[in-house]
Amino acid sequence: MVNYLADFLGKLQPYCGSLIRVKAIKSIEPKAKEYLNKLSKQNLIERITWGWYWVPTDEIVVDVWDFLEKDQNFKVISAQTAASFWNNDFVHRDIYTLMVKDRSYGSALQEFAKKRGWQIELEYLKDSSKVKYRKVGNLLVETIEDNVVGCLQRWAFVDAFATLYEHRDKIDWDRLYQNAYWKRISKTNVRAKQVLEYGFCQFEELGSGVKFPCRETQVRDDFVRREVDEAVERVVEFG
């Protein structure tokens, strides 16, 4: 390898494991577009899509969580994927849901995942400042309170109540109720707050010993009520 490419490759080491954008790398090397193309032809980095490359790590096999930790682009783990993170994978799924704000990055991420057989679903954010998340290590994960409400809206009742059960002593209940008050279960007139209160009472009735703030609430939608009953029973049985 010629010296100028070796020097440039050295400048990319801080990005190992991450997708990089040509436009951004030009800030450290004006000829980034040319050099990145040459390095990809030598299989020293991987071209993903127009304007995007991946800087490999030393690992032979890179799994999805390893990538999510090392990739330096803004993304927030959300929905059932965040629930699995918070509730110790109570319900395992092979689809990974992320919130991103850059559509160009999103396209590159989808292509990168496709090449590796990963199923990734993306939600594009209009205003990332409104997203509530916690930094855990190098991961950005949707907060428990927001995640629970989001899972309820998606009918992912097991995920939601498993997360509440796992973190019952750490929940900001006021914030949870506030977030859930006006949100409705998808394609129903049932509020997320009603489902929460009804589910909490079911925890008590099943003798789980879990102390949730509970108010007697009825869920009039028979199908939703049955789904919540089954979800709570499963969480208490296996939690």
Side-chain angles (χ1 to χ4, degrees):
M1 187 194 311
V2 293
N3 289 339
Y4 72 89
L5 279 182
D7 291 342
F8 178 63
L9 185 60
K11 294 179 182 179
L12 296 180
Q13 292 312 296
Y15 302 95
C16 278
S18 180
L19 294 176
I20 57 173
R21 194 173 190 171
V22 175
K23 187 186 298 186
I25 300 303
K26 282 185 177 179
S27 64
I28 62 174
E29 172 52 60
K31 295 185 178 180
K33 183 177 180 180
E34 174 189 345
Y35 293 176
L36 288 167
N37 183 51
K38 288 183 176 181
L39 288 175
S40 69
K41 289 181 177 179
Q42 296 180 32
N43 296 318
L44 294 172
I45 64 174
E46 181 180 342
R47 184 180 184 278
I48 304 304
T49 187
W50 186 87
W52 287 88
Y53 291 82
W54 179 63
V55 183
T57 62
D58 294 332
E59 289 85 356
I60 297 175
V61 178
V62 178
D63 69 21
V64 63
W65 285 104
D66 181 64
F67 167 75
L68 292 175
E69 286 194 47
K70 292 179 179 176
D71 179 64
Q72 298 177 29
N73 297 278
F74 178 84
K75 59 198 174 302
V76 178
I77 298 167
S78 63
Q80 286 94 318
T81 308
S84 292
F85 181 89
W86 292 124
N87 62 39
N88 297 316
D89 210 22
F90 188 88
V91 180
H92 179 75
R93 289 183 174 86
D94 292 321
I95 298 177
Y96 301 89
T97 306
L98 307 170
M99 293 186 284
V100 300
K101 60 183 179 181
D102 187 316
R103 287 189 175 272
S104 178
Y105 167 65
S107 297
L109 178 57
Q110 290 279 32
E111 185 61 29
F112 182 81
K114 181 180 177 182
K115 290 181 178 181
R116 284 155 179 78
W118 302 340
Q119 297 184 66
I120 288 184
E121 293 182 347
L122 299 181
E123 176 185 347
Y124 290 98
L125 300 168
K126 293 182 179 179
D127 185 356
S128 59
S129 66
K130 294 182 179 180
V131 178
K132 304 300 181 183
Y133 58 83
R134 282 180 53 190
K135 186 171 184 180
V136 184
N138 291 324
L139 297 174
L140 302 182
V141 189
E142 188 176 32
T143 61
I144 293 173
E145 294 81 10
D146 288 70
N147 179 245
V148 166
V149 175
C151 284
L152 292 176
Q153 289 185 280
R154 294 178 174 89
W155 290 76
F157 299 139
V158 175
D159 302 75
F161 283 106
T163 299
L164 287 171
Y165 188 98
E166 184 72 23
H167 295 275
R168 54 194 179 274
D169 297 327
K170 305 172 186 176
I171 298 289
D172 183 338
W173 297 106
D174 290 337
R175 182 160 175 266
L176 177 63
Y177 277 128
Q178 187 177 35
N179 289 352
Y181 192 84
W182 293 111
K183 302 292 178 62
R184 298 184 186 278
I185 310 306
S186 178
K187 298 181 180 179
T188 77
N189 290 320
V190 181
R191 292 183 184 180
K193 183 174 183 289
Q194 291 176 287
V195 170
L196 284 173
E197 291 178 334
Y198 175 76
F200 294 159
C201 290
Q202 299 307 99
F203 269 115
E204 294 290 331
E205 290 172 10
L206 288 169
S208 65
V210 180
K211 298 301 181 184
F212 289 108
C214 179
R215 187 176 101 177
E216 285 291 343
T217 300
Q218 288 300 313
V219 174
R220 298 185 184 282
D221 187 308
D222 291 340
F223 187 70
V224 172
R225 186 173 62 252
R226 286 196 299 269
E227 290 292 304
V228 174
D229 287 343
E230 291 178 10
V232 171
E233 188 170 357
R234 182 176 173 187
V235 171
V236 173
E237 182 179 358
F238 296 105

